[in-house]
Amino acid sequence: MDKILEAVVMSSYPNNVKQGLVRRVIEAAKQPMDSEQCWSMLELSTKLYLTGDTKYKREIGKEVLEVYGHYHPEEFEEFFNVRFLLSLLQEGYGPLGKRSHYVLDYIQLGLQFVLESPSANSIFSLLRIEVLRKVCERPSPKQCAKISKLLTQHPQCIPTGKHQVLFCQQLIRCIGQFQCVSEGEEDIMEFLEHVNKVSGLLQRIWRTQTSAILPSLKELFTIISSTEEQEAPSNALASVVQFVPLELMDGVIRNLTNDDSITDVQMMTAIGRMIDWVSWPLGKNIDKWIIALLKGLAAVKKFSILIEVTLSKIEKVFSKLLYPIVREVALSVLQYMLLSFQHSHEAFHLLLPHIPRLVVSLKKEDSNSATSALEQLAELIHCMFFRFSGFPDLYEPVLEAVKALPIPNEDRIKHLLGQNAWTSQKNELACFYPRLASKSETGKIGLINLGNTCYMNSIIQSLFMASDFRHSVLNLTEGNSQPLMTKLQWLFAFLEHSQRPAISPESFLSASWPPWFTPGAQQDCSEYLKYLLDRLHEEEKTGKRIYQKLKESSLMSQAVEHHYLNKTLIEKMFGGKMMTKIRCLKCLNVSSREEAFTDLSLAFPPLDRLVRGSTSVLPMEEIGPQYIEPPENSNQLMGSPWILRKPPKAGDPAAPPMPVETLGFQEPGELANRLSGNAVGTDAAKDPLSAFGEQACAPKDSRSVLDLINYFLSPERLTAENKYHCEKCASLQDAEKVAELTEGPHYLILTLLRFSFDPRTMKRKKILDNVSIPVVLKLPVLVTPEDTEEICQHGKDRAAPGSGFVSVVYDLCSVVVHSGISSESGHYYCYSRECTDTVPHGQPQDGEPKPASDKQLDFEIQWYLFNDTRVSFSSFESVSNVTSFFPKDTAYVLFYRQRPGRQSCPLHEALAEAGRLHGEPSLHKDLMEAISKDNILYLQEQEKEARNRAAYISTLPKSPLWWRDFDRDKDDDNSSGGCSPAAGGGGSGSFHGLVF
């Protein structure tokens, strides 16, 4: 019968004819048959099954084997013996070089017919040893899957005891070497199915033998932490972790993170490879294990590992959000990585270039998964904006991309940031601040944030960029007996000459720290600035004067020399004077008091007092960057309202407001435009300056710095409970109080009073109103008759007889921005530029304006953005628009520098003369040596770090380029399918790139 069957199978008849003949043979096999005939049929069916070159032949062999196993069990058991199976497993079947791949399938098929036979235990014992041996030989994924299928169906063949643990470990090593060699989608799906069968076997073993789990996980960690392998282990290992019971997670992680035998490099390698598992599409709980290990490392303060891994892997994790099949896991890991990385903006900033493209792709996908991911991503981005504010130039494209998505409230943001931070102790991360490889391309140096010290950093950078003040500080002589000023000199010198990208102001912080400030807490930068200037002033005032160069100047008269040498450096640079006058409205007696100031604190006027110029003694002006030399017919000094005005009488109409003085050429009908702040004439529309002038002006309904100054200088009525006690009347009377500036400071500091105490919440709330900032403004300063003579002598502002006001011109040089909604929280950064005397000394005396093109225009002076360690180029446009883009980022402290003019002539000329004679400030020997030594040390540190990093990188396995995921997505409308970034089904190429 075996000959007949073989002839039929090998014949050229059509398969349907063959099938009929085979049926007859199989039916005949169900009848009683002698042992020899059975043996012959079993040998033929074995041959067909194991070496058949077509699926049809193997199917016939299978059918015959099943019939003989069922109807001739004794003969089948005799044929399917231990020796035969051992030969199959160790030597294979078929000609040499073409051994059959179906031996395991054959054994699985035959086992079902010998389960109750006396030889069953011997066969099981043999298979327990042989499957362990097979696994140790690292079979292919397909063969491993066949072993798993065999053992899943016949668990009696699973190795037991110590061999079972070894079997699990070797099976994991097999999985670690799995690779999918084909890029076809069907092949990939088959590969995933094989991996799932193998990991499913491990799950089955672990369910019945939990003692095998920990040794298996230990082997898994050994594989992924190895730094000796040439190639990274397969991401298929992710399939192993999904079956580990979550209740074991805490213990496993605790043991790993506290194991002293595991080196940092091994741990870094392991967690890095685990993070790569987010690419595995079939894994469950992978994100939970990755996050648990990251949290475990944070618990034992392995911050260097966390930082290195986060910075090296976060972009790859982010790129996986393109793929719906792994999006949930990738987003979970990304959220933890970003929300826990709170000591530095580095991780978030790595993602900034990719966010807009991802948002576009997710919107294009238009699926529930994409919509959910967009909302979570937007929440994450706003958390990062809140935590790392002060980068408007970098954040604007991202903000534009997510502007239509929901914005979380501040409580939600604080909750997310609070529950995910690595540590609540900021000082524990003090040595892990952003690592900058090189100095900023701007040539400027940043300041390290020492734990909510951005308020100090912004003030120091603003003072440093005040070039006249900086030069004066750097010119201090050695041994000036002013310890705080000396520390500031050292800090400025390092900011000027260090090779480091950023320096630590720790020494200056400890010396200038206000005693009532809470360490580690956010503080008010204006409060710090006032304290700092007062300390520096008082320190010099005690007799230890510095700045002796003015004394030697022959350019000053003795009276002027005496006037300026009696001042401290702070008074010379930042000091102004203000006269407060109170007039009794009954007897018209005026009392006055003059006091010094270093800054003007500007309150916000009520909304009903926003008409510019309506209440001011001399309305403030906002002017373009033109050279200031008004036409002769407009040079009259404005008279004091209390000298030129008559006492008010009942029924008299209110005095009309003084017209706003403007520059440029304007038609008579443009008064309304002038009053609304447009100080640029109609001809300016044809001029490049016109756009600049518009930037400096406020929108119609917004506030301006001019409004705040005009409100500050406007008369205040003292009535009702606020009546004034008149000494002449000897009683409380209605009165009018007004403040007048009698001396304009060299550097004008304006603080916008944005913080007010809210009795309901018992907290200081912030006024978030956008305030437009003029790049140039004119400050009204009261002059005396003596000053009037001097004005005439200088040929500038010819004055009317008697006292009056003169406009002093100021250029904007720094803006400190507060980001946040409370003075006790948020972040400070500043915009600054180097303001110097741009008007040449030999200016014309004929009263004609000098053309703007003959000087460096204000908008051509480079602006910089200082944000702790980061310094970047910026522009006045960015300064003007920052609150429009980021409503919580508002200008808080402004620095203006006085242009050369009447009041500043002696100081300006002395500074200019000193600059011409001495050039750049020369530092004393000790300071120069300290800077030189530190620069050498920094270079040595850089060399050492470069060597260490090169050695570390050489030990790590190379991984595929993560950015190919983004490149693949660029306008790829031809791709279709569920695994492509844009949705649906899936192009095989993109799917293969995802998993492997």
Side-chain angles (χ1 to χ4, degrees), residues 110 129 197 241 289 306 365 399 417 438 461 475 514 567 589 688 727 772 917:
I129 296 172
K197 284 181 180 177
V241 174
W289 279 95
L306 290 167
E365 181 180 317
L399 189 66
L417 291 172
S438 60
Q461 294 286 19
N475 272 321
K567 289 187 171 187
N589 180 58
E727 293 182 359
S772 66
L917 292 175

Side-chain angles (χ1 to χ4, degrees), residues 640-849:
S640 170
W642 287 352
I643 295 173
L644 301 182
R645 286 190 304 185
K646 294 179 180 179
K649 296 179 182 177
D652 279 358
M658 292 190 172
V660 176
E661 182 184 348
T662 56
L663 299 177
F665 303 96
Q666 298 191 342
E667 297 296 329
E670 291 180 328
L671 180 60
N673 288 337
R674 296 204 306 270
L675 288 176
S676 65
N678 265 330
V680 181
T682 54
D683 290 348
K686 303 172 186 176
D687 193 291
L689 290 175
S690 61
F692 185 81
E694 288 171 9
Q695 289 173 3
C697 295
K700 193 169 185 179
D701 297 327
S702 73
R703 299 174 187 263
S704 164
V705 168
L706 310 181
D707 297 324
L708 274 62
I709 298 179
N710 280 331
Y711 181 57
F712 177 83
L713 297 175
S714 63
E716 177 187 357
R717 284 293 183 103
L718 305 178
T719 60
E721 295 180 357
N722 200 27
K723 283 188 177 184
Y724 165 68
H725 185 275
C726 177
E727 293 182 359
K728 191 172 182 180
C729 298
S731 62
L732 293 173
Q733 298 294 335
D734 289 348
E736 190 176 55
K737 182 173 77 171
V738 70
E740 296 175 340
L741 302 178
T742 57
E743 184 178 321
H746 185 63
Y747 282 101
L748 172 66
I749 301 175
L750 303 177
T751 300
L752 311 188
L753 296 178
R754 291 190 173 276
F755 301 110
S756 60
F757 184 75
D758 187 347
R760 291 176 303 170
T761 60
M762 301 300 290
K763 291 182 179 179
R764 293 175 75 195
K765 64 180 181 180
K766 180 179 176 182
I767 300 171
L768 293 170
D769 294 10
N770 191 1
V771 176
S772 66
I773 306 169
V775 69
V776 182
L777 60 78
K778 294 169 75 175
L779 192 68
V781 177
L782 184 67
V783 294
T784 62
E786 294 79 12
D787 292 328
T788 304
E789 282 185 27
E790 191 178 338
I791 293 170
C792 296
Q793 290 170 6
H794 278 81
K796 291 192 175 179
D797 298 314
R798 294 187 180 90
S803 297
F805 288 90
V806 65
S807 293
V808 180
V809 182
Y810 283 89
D811 296 294
L812 180 68
C813 53
S814 287
V815 179
V816 177
V817 177
H818 177 263
S819 176
I821 61 171
S822 166
S823 62
E824 289 83 19
S825 62
H827 179 64
Y828 288 98
Y829 57 95
C830 74
Y831 293 93
S832 288
R833 63 174 181 163
E834 198 94 44
C835 278
T836 55
D837 293 338
T838 54
V839 179
H841 279 281
Q843 48 188 283
Q845 300 294 321
D846 55 4
E848 290 299 318

Side-chain angles (χ1 to χ4, degrees), residues 6-298:
E6 187 172 14
V8 170
V9 171
M10 299 300 177
S11 70
S12 58
Y13 294 126
N15 283 351
N16 59 340
V17 175
K18 291 182 183 179
Q19 192 63 35
L21 297 173
V22 169
R23 282 281 139 229
R24 293 183 185 180
V25 173
I26 289 177
E27 288 299 321
K30 296 179 181 179
Q31 304 303 318
M33 192 179 296
D34 61 56
S35 178
E36 186 177 348
Q37 185 62 44
C38 284
W39 196 278
S40 297
M41 287 297 289
L42 286 170
E43 283 185 336
L44 176 61
S45 58
T46 298
K47 178 182 177 182
L48 290 174
Y49 187 87
L50 291 175
T51 61
D53 54 2
T54 65
K55 185 177 180 181
Y56 176 72
K57 292 178 182 178
R58 292 195 297 275
E59 286 295 329
I60 291 175
K62 179 183 177 183
E63 277 192 73
V64 173
L65 280 170
E66 288 175 337
V67 168
Y68 277 85
H70 186 73
Y71 290 97
H72 306 281
E74 293 181 2
E75 287 78 5
F76 188 88
E77 181 184 346
E78 184 181 354
F79 178 82
F80 200 78
N81 58 64
V82 171
R83 182 176 297 176
F84 174 57
L85 294 181
L86 183 62
S87 173
L88 285 178
L89 290 167
Q90 292 191 353
E91 300 173 14
Y93 189 94
L96 197 64
K98 291 185 179 181
R99 298 297 193 192
S100 173
H101 299 296
Y102 301 99
V103 169
L104 291 170
D105 306 85
Y106 176 82
I107 293 174
Q108 182 180 339
L109 176 66
L111 274 178
Q112 60 185 310
F113 302 109
V114 296
L115 295 177
E116 304 299 328
S117 69
S119 62
N121 288 334
S122 300
I123 292 175
F124 296 154
S125 179
L126 169 69
L127 289 176
R128 290 188 199 109
I129 296 172
E130 285 302 307
V131 293
L132 177 58
R133 183 184 62 80
K134 280 280 186 187
V135 167
C136 290
E137 292 176 353
R138 306 289 180 264
S140 67
K142 191 172 185 177
Q143 291 299 309
C144 253
K146 288 181 178 181
I147 293 174
S148 301
K149 186 178 178 182
L150 168 66
L151 299 184
T152 301
Q153 189 169 343
H154 301 289
Q156 307 95 319
C157 302
I158 297 175
T160 57
K162 293 181 179 179
H163 285 172
Q164 187 177 78
V165 172
L166 181 60
F167 176 76
C168 291
Q169 292 174 328
Q170 293 303 316
L171 200 59
I172 290 171
R173 285 208 168 267
C174 283
I175 297 173
Q177 294 189 359
F178 284 178
Q179 297 296 335
C180 183
V181 294
S182 171
E183 294 193 3
E185 188 166 338
E186 289 184 5
D187 294 331
I188 293 171
M189 294 304 295
E190 183 183 42
F191 174 76
L192 294 175
E193 186 181 350
H194 294 333
V195 174
N196 219 26
K197 284 181 180 177
V198 177
S199 59
L201 173 63
L202 283 170
Q203 180 191 23
R204 183 185 182 94
I205 295 173
W206 291 344
R207 277 179 181 170
T208 57
Q209 198 67 36
T210 55
S211 61
I213 297 177
L214 292 181
S216 300
L217 290 180
K218 187 174 182 181
E219 189 69 18
L220 173 64
F221 185 82
T222 301
I223 295 169
I224 62 175
S225 64
S226 173
T227 58
E228 299 174 0
E229 302 292 334
Q230 293 297 319
E231 292 186 4
S234 171
N235 283 345
L237 287 170
S239 64
V240 175
V241 174
Q242 65 182 328
F243 296 122
V244 179
L246 293 180
E247 55 266 25
L248 297 178
M249 182 184 290
D250 289 344
V252 170
I253 298 299
R254 198 180 307 112
N255 288 339
L256 279 178
T257 54
N258 288 283
D259 190 341
D260 293 335
S261 66
I262 300 173
T263 66
D264 284 358
V265 172
Q266 288 175 321
M267 184 62 77
M268 204 179 304
T269 305
I271 187 62
R273 286 168 173 167
M274 283 181 69
I275 291 173
D276 288 342
W277 292 350
V278 297
S279 302
W280 187 254
L282 300 177
K284 296 177 183 177
N285 300 328
I286 293 174
D287 53 333
K288 294 182 176 64
W289 279 95
I290 294 172
I291 293 170
L293 184 51
L294 291 172
K295 286 182 176 179
L297 291 170

